[in-house]
Amino acid sequence: MTAGMRSVAQRQHLASGQDSDVFIRSDGLLVKRTRTGRDLRREAEMMTYLSGHGIPVPRVHEASAEELVMQYVPGPRMSEEIGRKPWLAGQLGRELADLHHRLDVIAAPDFLSGEGNLLHLDLHPGNVVLGPEGPVVLDWASATKGDRRLDVALSWVSLAVARLAPVMKLTRWRFLRSFMADVDPRVIEAIPEAARIRLERHDRDPAERAALQKLMDRKRH
């Protein structure tokens, strides 16, 4: 670990996720630090690979097992933009679908586990920054190999079961309708499995657990 990565005094806490904290340094770079001991070098390797294949991700500056230093991309999350500008829901749904199409043609690197194609496994509007040069995909911690339809189904499920204010439900429907109109229609076959993965990944509140269970039950009917 370099001296720059060790310096905590010149960092400002920006956000916290399920297993890590994100800080912005005085030099404008982001630092992602694990709280669980997960080795961040694999995520850095994944992002470097994707950048080399034209996928919009933050540029990696340096990485250790505990910390990942990367480019800060200014701009709102796609989820924030949906809330602030609901009239853009259809356009944003198409943009998320386009990101999946771009992943469709990228071969999964050999260092990922599993078999099949490249999966992000957490590509929802909260993990997309609308940067100055276009959408940028964040958080590649869960990347693996598998069926691309599952990756798309997980994007749909993440928003379909999210708890929203009643006024936002029509906006969500417009986003999801636009998103699904621009992807493989066979994605619906993967929704029960996507719901199972989301249910098992983290603790969920009772309302979301019930919604996910309902989606899983599709497989049995």
Side-chain angles (χ1 to χ4, degrees):
M1 185 185 301
T2 67
M5 296 176 74
R6 284 195 299 268
S7 174
V8 179
Q10 295 181 330
R11 300 178 185 178
Q12 177 183 351
H13 182 262
L14 205 60
S16 292
Q18 293 288 340
D19 68 354
S20 59
D21 297 306
V22 179
F23 304 85
I24 187 164
R25 292 197 324 200
S26 57
D27 59 5
L29 295 178
L30 284 187
V31 180
K32 183 175 185 177
R33 182 169 181 80
T34 182
R35 294 195 310 271
T36 62
R38 177 173 65 85
D39 191 334
L40 296 180
R41 288 174 294 189
R42 177 55 57 88
E43 186 173 356
E45 186 178 13
M46 185 73 237
M47 292 168 64
T48 300
Y49 174 85
L50 291 164
S51 181
H53 286 76
I55 300 299
V57 298
R59 184 173 62 256
V60 173
H61 283 255
E62 51 184 322
S64 71
E66 298 84 16
E67 293 190 349
L68 167 57
V69 181
M70 68 189 108
Q71 172 193 10
Y72 169 65
V73 180
R77 301 292 177 106
M78 182 179 283
S79 54
E80 296 169 338
E81 195 77 340
I82 295 170
R84 288 201 299 252
K85 301 177 181 179
W87 59 90
L88 294 180
Q91 173 187 323
L92 294 171
R94 290 189 293 273
E95 288 186 11
L96 186 62
D98 180 66
L99 290 171
H100 275 291
H101 290 315
R102 296 178 71 171
L103 293 180
D104 287 341
V105 298
I106 303 298
D110 293 338
F111 58 78
L112 284 183
S113 60
E115 297 181 357
N117 299 312
L118 174 62
L119 308 185
H120 181 286
L121 283 189
D122 207 17
L123 183 45
H124 55 74
N127 275 336
V128 178
V129 173
L130 302 177
E133 299 180 7
V136 176
V137 183
L138 310 178
D139 197 356
W140 290 88
S142 301
T144 187
K145 295 178 183 177
D147 187 335
R148 286 288 311 140
R149 290 175 296 178
L150 179 61
D151 212 23
V152 179
L154 272 162
S155 293
W156 183 90
V157 166
S158 68
L159 193 58
V161 303
R163 297 185 66 183
L164 300 175
V167 70
M168 287 298 298
K169 291 184 178 179
L170 179 59
T171 300
R172 169 168 60 188
W173 177 80
R174 289 172 175 162
F175 180 95
L176 291 175
R177 182 181 65 172
S178 176
F179 174 69
M180 292 297 282
D182 208 26
V183 298
D184 185 342
R186 295 176 298 167
V187 162
I188 60 174
E189 300 169 7
I191 286 176
E193 178 63 12
R196 184 194 64 79
I197 291 173
R198 184 169 176 84
L199 184 62
E200 294 181 354
R201 183 174 290 168
H202 304 301
D203 290 338
R204 303 294 176 188
D205 64 64
E208 183 174 347
R209 291 185 67 85
L212 290 169
Q213 188 62 55
K214 187 175 180 178
L215 292 174
M216 290 168 60
D217 288 343
R218 288 185 179 186
K219 187 180 294 186
R220 294 193 280 269
H221 297 289

